[in-house]
Amino acid sequence: NIEEFTLAKNTQSVAKHCNIAEGTIFYHFGNFKELLIETFMFIDGKKAATLSRLNPDFPPDADLRNEYRTVWQFYFDFWLERPLEAKFYSEFFHSSLYDYKVHTVKDESYLVFKKLVECQKLLDEAYQKIGYLNIWQYIINTTIDFAIKMSDGRLNKTDEVKIYIFELIHERLFKASDANNQDEQLNATE
């Protein structure tokens, strides 16, 4: 039960909440850190499986921003439907346990996002200015944070608010890319 697990702060409390011997945790995971990493990876696997249901092949005439918003909405709803997992994921993401090894494996679950962004180079300018990893961390962190706030009742759970959140997270990223794309078009016509 993820709710009980998120309240646990050590192997003894996890064992108590799960009604198992503490030695069972050490046998399967070695230590509390590995248990937390495996829990993160389990949740990430569920997210990846959910996102993999989306088709990453977009028609040539597709409105890529609209397609991107659809993918983001799917991602946002995943977390909205799993508030306790979202809280755990967010806490882990901001902890010292989140390292390159964890990131590399997790990175594979964003293939649909990556393909969509690469199609139109939607975020090229932002990538150039602050880096690929920073952009994805920004999008992931703010999306999960808003999903937690909405599931906690701190934000209204309406489509209008979801659209506003999307625009709030992405507006500056898209504007920078628009300006860059317009400059490229002007240079090409000269």
Side-chain angles (χ1 to χ4, degrees):
N1 182 339
I2 194 76
E3 182 173 8
E4 293 172 348
F5 182 79
T6 57
L7 299 174
K9 300 297 180 203
N10 56 46
T11 54
Q12 189 176 27
S13 57
V14 171
K16 182 180 176 187
H17 284 294
C18 296
N19 201 26
I20 60 173
E22 188 176 12
T24 304
I25 294 169
F26 292 119
Y27 176 77
H28 289 285
F29 300 100
N31 58 48
F32 190 61
K33 177 183 175 181
E34 289 303 314
L35 174 63
L36 294 175
I37 291 170
E38 288 300 318
T39 301
F40 178 84
M41 299 306 291
F42 175 76
I43 295 169
D44 197 65
K46 285 172 55 175
K47 177 194 43 86
T50 300
L51 285 174
S52 72
R53 290 185 274 171
L54 294 171
N55 181 4
D57 296 320
F58 307 103
D61 61 341
D63 176 352
L64 293 176
R65 284 200 184 166
N66 192 42
E67 295 287 342
Y68 182 89
R69 183 170 50 212
T70 300
V71 172
W72 178 87
Q73 178 73 50
F74 197 77
Y75 179 72
F76 183 81
D77 288 343
F78 172 85
W79 294 116
L80 190 58
E81 294 165 6
R82 298 161 181 84
L84 294 171
E85 292 175 2
K87 287 176 187 176
F88 175 86
Y89 198 91
S90 179
E91 286 177 18
F92 185 93
F93 198 87
H94 290 92
S95 77
S96 61
L97 297 176
Y98 184 81
D99 62 13
Y100 184 75
K101 173 188 145 197
V102 173
H103 172 79
T104 303
V105 175
K106 183 189 69 56
D107 201 44
E108 295 170 9
S109 66
Y110 292 95
L111 294 178
V112 173
F113 273 118
K114 283 182 178 180
K115 184 160 185 173
L116 180 59
V117 169
E118 289 167 3
C119 283
Q120 187 85 1
K121 302 191 183 324
L122 288 173
L123 305 176
D124 267 2
E125 180 76 11
Y127 285 164
Q128 291 171 10
K129 291 196 188 272
I130 61 175
Y132 172 81
L133 183 59
N134 294 324
I135 295 297
W136 283 114
Q137 287 180 341
Y138 164 76
I139 293 169
I140 292 164
N141 289 330
T142 53
T143 298
I144 294 172
D145 187 47
F146 277 117
I148 291 168
K149 288 177 179 167
M150 190 174 273
S151 64
D152 284 350
R154 291 180 276 167
L155 293 172
N156 291 329
K157 211 181 261 192
T158 65
D159 288 339
E160 182 181 4
V161 172
K162 289 178 185 178
I163 291 168
Y164 185 79
I165 291 168
F166 173 81
E167 291 171 353
L168 183 65
I169 292 171
H170 294 87
E171 180 179 356
R172 180 65 180 125
L173 299 175
F174 286 147
K175 279 186 180 177
S177 288
D178 286 346
N180 191 43
N181 289 339
Q182 288 173 352
D183 288 345
E184 286 177 10
Q185 289 173 356
L186 284 174
N187 290 337
T189 58
E190 292 177 352

